[in-house]
Each structure stands twice: as C-alpha cells, then as structure tokens.
Amino acid sequence: MGRRKTNLRTHSKSLTLERASSQDVDEVRDQETHETSTQDVQPAIRVTRGPSKYLDVWDLPDDEEIELSLNSLHQPVDDGARTFTGFLGTIARKPHMCPIRYLNWKNMPEEFKEECWRVVERKYSVFVNPIAYEALKAFTLQKIGKAWRDYKSRMKKRHYIPHSRNKTRVKNNPPKGCIPEDWDILVDHWYTDDAVAKTDGQPVERAVLYQVLHTRKDGTAVNPVVKAKMDKMKELLEISSNQLQSSDTSGSIAWSPDDVFAKVMGKERKGRIRGVGFGPSPSARSSKSVLTDIEIHSSQARDNEVAQLKASLATMEEKLAGFDEMKQKLSQFEEMEERMEQRVQQRMEQRMEQRMARMLQQISPQCNQDVSLAEHSPSLPKSSAASYQPSSL
C-alpha cells in the first residue's frame, strides 16, 4: 500500500523546547561538568540548549512520508529544505550510523552511507526518476558528510585540551551517547604529532595536510603512488620560496593556485578546491551552482528528451504487444477459416454423392422398362425397295 504524504509545519519555540529529549539535558550537564574540570585551562563556554532533534520527522508513522520540493538541479527548496538539512544533521550525529572513529568521510564504509540513505527514503518521498533519484542521493550523502565533519569539529573544540598530558583526561570525559571505543580512536588522533601541529593557531598548507591524512599509524604511506607524491611535496616544501606567506593564507588551511600541492597534484578544475573541504572554490561558488543558465536549460532539455523517448518506447512496446496479440488472433482465425472450408467441402462432396445416388436410383427403373419393351416388340416389314430385284438383261 502507498504511504500517505504529509507536510511538517514549524512549531513554536516553547513547543520545540518541550519536545527536546532528555539527551539534550544530558549534553548540557556534560558540557557544564567539562567546563568546571577545565576552567583552569580554557575559558568557560556558554551553555546552550543543544542541537535540534527533529522529532517530528523521526516519529513520523511508517505509513506517512514527507513531500519534498526540488529545484531543476534536484536539490531541496522552499520551507522543507531547512528541515531536511537539519534532519540530515541528526543522522550525522547518530554514533551507530556515522561512527566518529573514521578520520574522514571518504573512509566511511559504504554500508553506513547506504543505511543513512535508507532512513531518508523511509521518511521522505523520493522520486522514481533515476536522474532525480541519484542527484538527490548524492546531495543527501554530501550534506550528511559535511554535518558529520562539523559535528566532529565541534566535539574537538568542546573537549580537546592542549598538551599530551591531558590525553587521558579527555578520554575519561566522552560526550553523552558516544561509543567509548570510537571516542578513544578519535582522541588518539587528536594527540598525534601531526594533528597537534595543526592546532597551534597557524594555517597548515594542503601539502602538509595531504601527508598527514595519507600516512598510516606506523608512519608509512598508504600506497607507493601516494608515497612518491609525498616525497615530491617534502622536497618542494624544503625550498623557502615554495612556502606560502601569511598574506597568502586565510582560514585553517592555506592554499593558492600555484602552491606545492598544486605543483604535484595538478591545477584545480571546476568545483571545490581539493584539500579544503566545502569552503572555497575556483569560481567562489559551489560545483553545482557554477552551471550557467544555458547548461541548466540544456540539461533540462536532455531530461525532457529522454523522458519523451522513454514514453515513445513504452507506447511502441504497447503497440507491438497489441500487434503480436492481433497476429495471434489472425492466425487463429485463419486456422478456423481453413477448418470451416474443409467442412464445407466435405459437406458439398457428401451432398453431390447423395444427389448422384438418387439420380441413379430414379434412372435405373426407366432404363429397365425401355429394354423390356424393345425385346417384346414385333419385327418391322421389309421395304418394297429392299424386296425389289431387277430382271436380268
């Protein structure tokens, strides 16, 4: 049975506060405890209510789904877009769905990503059109990945205490609901030498970050190809003229079109800058928004053409199916007509035989009577001419 579509409306602030789960309260208490224990190291953080839980979406009955409006690029728009993005953030914070033990979203196993998408499919009305389906799925997983990275960043800002001597202290104060094993792995990464080097307040170059993210715990590169690139980057970074100046950097990751990373990996293409996440892009716009109006209309025209071709194909298939059915019926009719002709021929032959038999029966007595009369009739007299004999000369 089909699921009923529903539209969620924005609730008042008081109602939202009342529906906040006990986990929000636990997170606030946990935050207050951490601030008290670390007040000698860093200033206190303002206590807030915590992130929204979007219980209206999570508690939606199984026989209902939320109708989602999409634009021409198959991205959520209108009032439902904000709720949709916020709901994806709650998925990213689920420890069993998006574990924090993985260092980046690329390393997140596909089964976790697919489970996130299945949750979205159960709550929202997803288009059957394959183009819209794949575009919305890619957009959804991209947003969940970004929310997951932001969530880990907030965790580090809230719980991380500089200096390795505080490592055990941080491990013993995990966030509420966090899986202990995953928390230990994340904290261990925070206190590695390379990760600590990035927390000194200075931006780190993409080449340095590349080496950090592609090095195993034993200090070796993930594969020979990456090792060759890392060695080339190290060689170039030793030259002072290749290092970025403070005026060339902004944010936490330093980059420029001709930095060491670009010299080894190649120039940037359209889309987002490699190694800097969802921040800048070559055109200062996202990869999906750089499409011009002509490209958008062309894409729409192609989609319409594909849809028309599919509709025409379906119509042709229906006609072919009807033609096959008609051909089968015609064949049956021809067989029936042939059998009828055979029956008619047989009946005609039977009638001819019967008629001939009756005619023979009628003719036979008359013939017998004529023969009998001929046998009993008297001899005819001879003609005078026949009896005349001339006299001899």
Side-chain angles (χ1 to χ4, degrees):
M1 296 178 61
R3 297 186 295 172
R4 294 180 297 170
K5 291 182 173 57
T6 183
N7 291 320
L8 296 181
R9 296 185 178 180
T10 305
H11 296 284
S12 62
K13 184 176 180 181
S14 59
L15 180 59
T16 304
L17 291 174
E18 291 176 0
R19 296 198 64 177
S21 64
S22 59
Q23 186 174 355
D24 294 325
V25 180
D26 294 336
E27 289 182 357
V28 172
R29 291 177 179 174
D30 179 69
Q31 182 176 349
E32 293 175 345
T33 304
H34 176 72
E35 291 171 354
T36 304
S37 62
T38 60
Q39 60 183 356
D40 58 333
V41 180
Q42 57 186 13
I45 302 175
R46 183 174 61 88
V47 178
T48 59
R49 181 180 59 84
S52 300
K53 298 300 179 182
Y54 291 89
L55 300 178
D56 288 343
V57 182
W58 283 107
D59 296 339
L60 195 69
D62 294 337
D63 60 342
E64 295 184 8
E65 59 183 5
I66 304 172
E67 193 170 1
L68 190 63
S69 300
L70 303 180
N71 58 14
S72 59
L73 297 178
H74 312 297
Q75 298 175 350
V77 292
D78 299 334
D79 297 336
R82 183 176 180 181
T83 301
F84 180 74
T85 305
F87 174 68
L88 298 183
T90 62
I91 295 178
R93 295 192 296 271
K94 296 291 184 181
H96 63 283
M97 298 183 67
C98 298
I100 59 175
R101 63 176 177 270
Y102 300 102
L103 300 183
N104 56 69
W105 183 250
K106 184 178 180 180
N107 293 340
M108 182 73 69
E110 289 298 324
E111 53 264 27
F112 289 104
K113 297 179 182 179
E114 291 296 329
E115 176 60 25
C116 295
W117 174 242
R118 284 192 290 268
V119 171
V120 175
E121 284 187 299
R122 289 196 296 268
K123 301 299 181 181
Y124 284 86
S125 175
V126 180
F127 287 87
V128 181
N129 184 336
I131 298 177
Y133 181 90
E134 293 299 332
L136 180 61
K137 182 178 180 180
F139 174 84
T140 299
L141 295 180
Q142 184 185 43
K143 287 297 182 181
I144 294 177
K146 183 181 184 303
W148 178 75
R149 287 189 293 270
D150 293 342
Y151 173 58
K152 291 175 63 179
S153 178
R154 291 193 299 270
M155 291 176 63
K156 185 174 182 179
K157 184 177 180 180
R158 181 181 300 175
H159 295 275
Y160 176 75
I161 307 175
H163 305 300
S164 58
R165 64 176 178 268
N166 295 313
K167 180 178 179 179
T168 304
R169 186 178 182 181
V170 174
K171 280 190 173 183
N172 293 334
N173 187 30
K176 183 68 175 179
C178 184
I179 300 176
E181 294 79 6
D182 294 354
W183 175 250
D184 291 343
I185 294 175
L186 182 60
V187 173
D188 287 336
H189 173 68
W190 286 350
Y191 284 95
T192 57
D193 294 338
D194 293 328
V196 171
K198 294 186 296 180
T199 61
D200 58 357
Q202 298 296 327
V204 58
E205 288 198 34
R206 291 189 298 170
V208 176
L209 183 62
Y210 180 85
Q211 298 176 51
V212 172
L213 297 178
H214 292 79
T215 303
R216 294 191 179 96
K217 291 184 178 181
D218 57 1
T220 60
V222 294
N223 58 56
V225 177
V226 171
K227 184 179 184 304
K229 295 179 180 179
M230 292 171 56
D231 293 341
K232 184 63 176 177
M233 290 180 184
K234 290 179 181 179
E235 180 181 349
L236 294 175
L237 286 172
E238 292 177 356
I239 304 175
S240 58
S241 60
N242 290 331
Q243 298 178 2
L244 297 178
Q245 303 299 321
S246 58
S247 59
D248 300 330
T249 63
S250 61
S252 60
I253 301 177
W255 73 278
S256 71
D258 58 348
D259 60 2
V260 171
F261 182 88
K263 292 178 180 179
V264 176
M265 305 298 293
K267 294 183 179 181
E268 300 298 332
R269 301 178 181 179
K270 292 182 178 181
R272 299 195 178 277
I273 300 298
R274 293 169 294 178
V276 296
F278 282 82
S281 65
S283 59
R285 293 180 295 178
S286 87
S287 59
K288 294 187 182 301
S289 62
V290 297
L291 294 175
T292 63
D293 292 339
I294 296 178
E295 291 173 330
I296 292 175
H297 291 313
S298 299
S299 177
Q300 293 176 346
R302 287 194 299 270
D303 294 346
N304 294 335
E305 185 178 358
V306 170
Q308 292 176 0
L309 290 175
K310 289 183 177 179
S312 300
L313 180 60
T315 304
M316 291 179 62
E317 290 178 350
E318 292 179 358
K319 290 182 178 180
L320 288 174
F323 177 76
D324 293 338
E325 184 178 358
M326 184 182 300
K327 185 177 179 180
Q328 184 178 3
K329 291 183 178 179
L330 181 60
S331 177
Q332 295 176 354
F333 177 77
E334 290 177 351
E335 293 178 358
M336 185 182 300
E337 186 179 13
E338 184 178 357
R339 288 196 298 267
M340 289 180 65
E341 289 180 354
Q342 292 177 356
R343 291 179 182 178
V344 171
Q345 185 69 22
Q346 291 175 359
R347 289 181 180 179
M348 290 180 63
E349 291 177 355
Q350 291 176 358
R351 288 180 180 178
M352 289 293 294
E353 292 177 356
Q354 292 175 0
R355 184 176 295 178
M356 291 294 295
R358 287 196 298 269
M359 291 176 62
L360 291 174
Q361 290 177 0
Q362 294 175 359
I363 294 173
S364 179
Q366 185 67 29
C367 292
N368 294 334
Q369 183 178 1
D370 293 343
V371 171
S372 177
L373 291 174
E375 290 177 351
H376 294 85
S377 61
S379 300
L380 293 175
K382 296 181 180 180
S383 64
S384 59
S387 62
Y388 173 75
Q389 293 182 356
S391 62
S392 61
L393 296 176

